[in-house]
Amino acid sequence: MENRSLSDAYMLRLPDGMRGVIKEAAKANRRSMNAEIVFHLERIFGSAEAATGVQFGDPAPAAVDPNTAVSAAGQFHTQQQEC
């Protein structure tokens, strides 16, 4: 993973118990918690990229077609179940 500048920092509130899940997953995968979160975000948006044609890092479109977004999320969910 490349070194990201502080301007990319974002404070994130997690549901109760999620921090522990991320911590354990990161430990099992020998990554930092941040690297674990970024890994999964890139997997999600990589799947969405194929469905929407929007590349990771591109500016967000003015409007998102909810059918496309739901389709991409459904594809990711299906992929997760197959693993």
Side-chain angles (χ1 to χ4, degrees), residues 2-5 11 21-22 29 40 47-48 53 61-62 65 68 71 73 75-76 81-82:
E2 76 234 27
N3 192 4
R4 302 194 194 286
S5 70
M11 179 64 75
V21 170
I22 295 168
N29 293 314
H40 289 285
S47 297
D65 179 355
T68 303
S71 173
Q75 288 174 2
F76 175 74
Q81 289 176 341
E82 293 172 357

Side-chain angles (χ1 to χ4, degrees), residues 13-26 33 37:
R13 290 184 294 273
L14 299 170
D16 289 342
M18 181 68 68
R19 186 179 193 283
V21 170
I22 295 168
K23 184 176 182 178
E24 290 302 314
M33 288 178 60
I37 293 166

Side-chain angles (χ1 to χ4, degrees), residues 32-50:
S32 67
M33 288 178 60
N34 186 76
E36 188 71 20
I37 293 166
V38 170
F39 171 79
H40 289 285
L41 288 173
E42 287 175 342
R43 286 180 58 196
I44 290 168
F45 289 113
S47 297
E49 178 181 321

